[in-house]
C-alpha cells in the first residue's frame, strides 16, 4: 500500500540576488520549494541596476544560430542547453508577464519599454515575495561547516542553514564594488572544485597614447567605425580614454584581444574609420586637390573624418614613422580603412563589465551541479563562459539561473523517489 504521508517541505538556499540567482529562486519557489536568497550587499541586483542605467539591454533579436555563436566557437554544452531551454523569446515573454513588454531597437537589441531596470526589478521582487521567497541581505556565504551546513555571515552572527539544495549565483569578479569580487573561490577551491583564473571581459583596450593625443582627445567618441582583431571584426562605436579605447565595439573584441595578449604579450587592433565607404570611392575623394587647406581640414572634407579620427591617423604615424598625408590616394584610403593600433593590455577587473574564468566547464554536470558537491548547483557569472554586451550577457545569466533551478528540482525529485 503506498505511503500517503505528505513529503516533508523542501528548502533551497540561493546565494546571490542578481539575475541568475533571482531566476533560480523564482523557478524553485514556483515548484513549491521554500527558498531563501542570501545576498551579501544591502540590496539585491545592484549590478543589474547599473547595467540598466543607460537603458536595460535584456537580450538580442538575431536568429538563434547566430546568437549562440556570440559565446565563442565552442561554448560549453550546458550553456547552449541553457539558452535553448530559456531563449530570448522566453525572456521577453517573462518581462511582459511582469508588466514590462519589450521592443527591438534599430540595432536588433531588445529593451523593456520602460527602458530601465528598476521597474522590472520592483515587479520581479513583488512576484518573488508573493511566491514566499525570503530575501536576506547583508548575508555573505563563506562555504560550509565541517558537517556540511552553509556558513552565512550576517551582522548578527553566523547562520548555518541546512537546505536540501543550494544554488550558487554570487557573480564573477568584475565591478567588485557592486558585490561580485570572486571571494567565493576560496571555499570552492577548498571543496575540490576546479577553477579557471579570472580575466576581464567586455573591457577597455589599453593603448599607449602620446601625451598630446591623450590630453587633447580623451573623452572624444569614434562613431560609425569598425574594429578587427584576430580574425574577428565588429562595427559600432568607441570612446577615446586617457588609457586607450572603451565602448561597445571594443568590448565585443575582448575575447580576441585577450587571446592575442596571452599568445604574444601584445595585440593589434585594426581600425576602419570609414567602413561605410568603398575603398575605391574613398580613394576617388582623396584624389581631389588639397590646395592650401591644412591636412586636418582636407581630410575632414574629402574623407569625412572628425578631428579625433585625423588625430588617430597621426598618432599611428608616430609609432610607425609614416606620414599619411604624403601617401598616394589609394594607399591613404587603405590606411584610413585599416589603421593599426597597438594594444598593451585590457583594463582590469575593477573596470570590466564582466569576467571570464571561474568554475570550470568540467567542474559541473550538464544540469550545472558541482561534481565535487552533490546538491549544489552553479549559475551565472560564477561559471567560466564569456559573452559580449548587447544582451548576450544578461540573456545567458537568466538562462543559466533557470537551468540550475531545473537541475536542482530534478535532483530533489530523484532523491524523493529513491
Amino acid at each position: 500500500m503506498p505511503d500517503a504521508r505528505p513529503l516533508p517541505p523542501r528548502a533551497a538556499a540561493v546565494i546571490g540576488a542578481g539575475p541568475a540567482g533571482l531566476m533560480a529562486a523564482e523557478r524553485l519557489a514556483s515548484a513549491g520549494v521554500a527558498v531563501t536568497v542570501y545576498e551579501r550587499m544591502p540590496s539585491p541586483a545592484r549590478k543589474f541596476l547599473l547595467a540598466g542605467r543607460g537603458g536595460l539591454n535584456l537580450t538580442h533579436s538575431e536568429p538563434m544560430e547566430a546568437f549562440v555563436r556570440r559565446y565563442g566557437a565552442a561554448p560549453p554544452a550546458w550553456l547552449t542547453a541553457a539558452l535553448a531551454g530559456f531563449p530570448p523569446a522566453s525572456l521577453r515573454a517573462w518581462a511582459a508577464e511582469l508588466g514590462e513588454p519589450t521592443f527591438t531597437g534599430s540595432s536588433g537589441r531588445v529593451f523593456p519599454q520602460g527602458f530601465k531596470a528598476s521597474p522590472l526589478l520592483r515587479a520581479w521582487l513583488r512576484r518573488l515575495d508573493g511566491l514566499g521567497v525570503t530575501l536576506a541581505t547583508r548575508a555573505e556565504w563563506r562555504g560550509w561547516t565541517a558537517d556540511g551546513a552553509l556558513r552565512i555571515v550576517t551582522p548578527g552572527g553566523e547562520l548555518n542553514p541546512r537546505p536540501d539544495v543550494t544554488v550558487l549565483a554570487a557573480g564573477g569578479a568584475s565591478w567588485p564594488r557592486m558585490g561580485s569580487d570572486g571571494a567565493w573561490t576560496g571555499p570552492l577551491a577548498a571543496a575540490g572544485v576546479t577553477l579557471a583564473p579570472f580575466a576581464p571581459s567586455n573591457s577597455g583596450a589599453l593603448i599607449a597614447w602620446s601625451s598630446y593625443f591623450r590630453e587633447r582627445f580623451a573623452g572624444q567618441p569614434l562613431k560609425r567605425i569598425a574594429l578587427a582583431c584576430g580574425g574577428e571584426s565588429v562595427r559600432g562605436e568607441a570612446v577615446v580614454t586617457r588609457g586607450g579605447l572603451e565602448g561597445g565595439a571594443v568590448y565585443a573584441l575582448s575575447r580576441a584581444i585577450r587571446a592575442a595578449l596571452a599568445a604574444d604579450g601584445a595585440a593589434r587592433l585594426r581600425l576602419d574609420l570609414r567602413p561605410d565607404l568603398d575603398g575605391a570611392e574613398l580613394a576617388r575623394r582623396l584624389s581631389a586637390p588639397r590646395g592650401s587647406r591644412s591636412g586636418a581640414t582636407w581630410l575632414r572634407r574629402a574623407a569625412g573624418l572628425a578631428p579625433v579620427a585625423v588625430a588617430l591617423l597621426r598618432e599611428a604615424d608616430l609609432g610607425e614613422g609614416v606620414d599619411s598625408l604624403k601617401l598616394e590616394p589609394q594607399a591613404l584610403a587603405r590606411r584610413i580603412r585599416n589603421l593599426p593600433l597597438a594594444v598593451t593590455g585590457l583594463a582590469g577587473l575593477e573596470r570590466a563589465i564582466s569576467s571570464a574564468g571561474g568554475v570550470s566547464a568540467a567542474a559541473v554536470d550538464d544540469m550545472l551541479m558541482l561534481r565535487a558537491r552533490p546538491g549544489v548547483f552553479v549559475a551565472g557569472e560564477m561559471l567560466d563562459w564569456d559573452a559580449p554586451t548587447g544582451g548576450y550577457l544578461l540573456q545567458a545569466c537568466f538562462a543559466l539561473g533557470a537551468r540550475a533551478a531545473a537541475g536542482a528540482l530534478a535532483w530533489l525529485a530523484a532523491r524523493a523517489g529513491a
Side-chain angles (χ1 to χ4, degrees):
M1 185 173 181
D3 189 345
R5 289 176 298 176
L7 292 172
R10 299 170 299 170
V14 175
I15 309 299
L22 294 181
M23 179 56 73
E26 179 181 335
R27 292 298 182 93
L28 288 165
S30 296
V33 179
V35 180
T36 300
V37 179
Y38 297 99
E39 168 57 48
R40 64 178 293 196
M41 301 299 282
S43 58
R46 289 195 164 195
K47 197 172 175 184
F48 179 68
L49 291 172
L50 179 68
R53 183 178 295 175
L56 181 64
N57 182 193
L58 275 176
T59 186
H60 202 284
S61 62
E62 69 183 342
M64 199 62 188
E65 183 179 348
F67 191 99
V68 172
R69 286 200 297 269
R70 301 292 185 176
Y71 298 88
W78 43 253
L79 177 56
T80 55
L83 293 168
F86 193 78
S90 297
L91 181 53
R92 299 184 72 171
W94 171 84
E97 290 170 1
L98 287 173
E100 290 291 325
T102 56
F103 71 94
T104 303
S106 59
S107 64
R109 298 183 179 196
V110 175
F111 303 87
Q113 286 188 359
F115 212 60
K116 296 180 179 179
S118 51
L120 183 62
L121 179 60
R122 285 195 297 268
W124 196 5
L125 292 175
R126 285 194 298 269
R127 172 183 283 183
L128 292 171
D129 184 62
L131 289 169
V133 173
T134 299
L135 175 60
T137 56
R138 294 186 173 91
E140 182 178 358
W141 175 71
R142 293 190 183 173
W144 295 273
T145 63
D147 60 352
L150 296 177
R151 294 188 61 216
I152 306 292
V153 177
T154 75
E158 182 169 318
L159 307 176
N160 300 119
R162 296 178 181 275
D164 298 294
V165 68
T166 300
V167 175
L168 302 178
S174 65
W175 282 88
R177 65 187 181 88
M178 293 290 106
S180 54
D181 61 2
W184 47 262
T185 55
L188 288 187
V193 177
T194 305
L195 303 170
F198 286 120
S201 183
N202 294 296
S203 184
L206 302 181
I207 300 172
W209 303 127
S210 67
S211 58
Y212 166 78
F213 184 84
R214 182 173 58 249
E215 297 300 327
R216 173 70 177 80
F217 293 100
Q220 292 291 308
L222 290 166
K223 298 188 175 183
R224 296 182 296 279
I225 61 167
L227 283 173
C229 181
E232 295 187 33
S233 61
V234 62
R235 286 196 184 198
E237 298 185 356
V239 177
V240 175
T241 67
R242 294 183 65 83
L245 288 175
E246 297 265 0
V250 183
Y251 302 153
L253 293 173
S254 287
R255 188 187 300 116
I257 295 171
R258 195 169 62 239
L261 290 169
D264 304 320
R268 188 172 289 265
L269 280 175
R270 294 285 176 176
L271 171 61
D272 186 347
L273 293 166
R274 287 305 309 267
D276 54 325
L277 266 186
D278 175 80
E281 172 59 19
L282 181 57
R284 186 192 68 77
R285 296 186 184 189
L286 292 169
S287 298
R290 175 176 166 181
S292 61
R293 289 174 291 187
S294 68
T297 300
W298 174 64
L299 285 170
R300 186 173 70 249
R301 293 186 179 180
L305 297 184
V308 64
V310 176
L312 273 169
L313 274 174
R314 291 176 171 171
E315 188 75 3
D317 287 351
L318 286 174
E320 299 182 341
V322 174
D323 186 347
S324 293
L325 292 177
K326 293 182 178 180
L327 297 174
E328 295 298 320
Q330 291 82 3
L332 179 54
R334 286 194 296 271
R335 188 159 179 79
I336 289 171
R337 298 208 56 200
N338 192 24
L339 190 67
L341 296 175
V343 177
T344 60
L346 287 170
L349 285 165
E350 72 282 355
R351 289 189 56 84
I353 292 175
S354 60
S355 59
V359 176
S360 68
V364 295
D365 65 16
D366 289 346
M367 296 305 296
L368 303 180
M369 186 170 73
L370 286 174
R371 299 184 189 278
R373 197 92 192 188
V376 178
F377 296 76
V378 187
E381 281 195 72
M382 285 183 71
L383 292 158
D384 182 17
W385 57 279
D386 200 359
T389 57
Y392 308 101
L393 187 64
L394 268 179
Q395 172 68 54
C397 285
F398 281 106
L400 288 166
R403 186 159 182 85
L409 290 170
W411 190 78
L412 287 171
R415 282 171 60 87

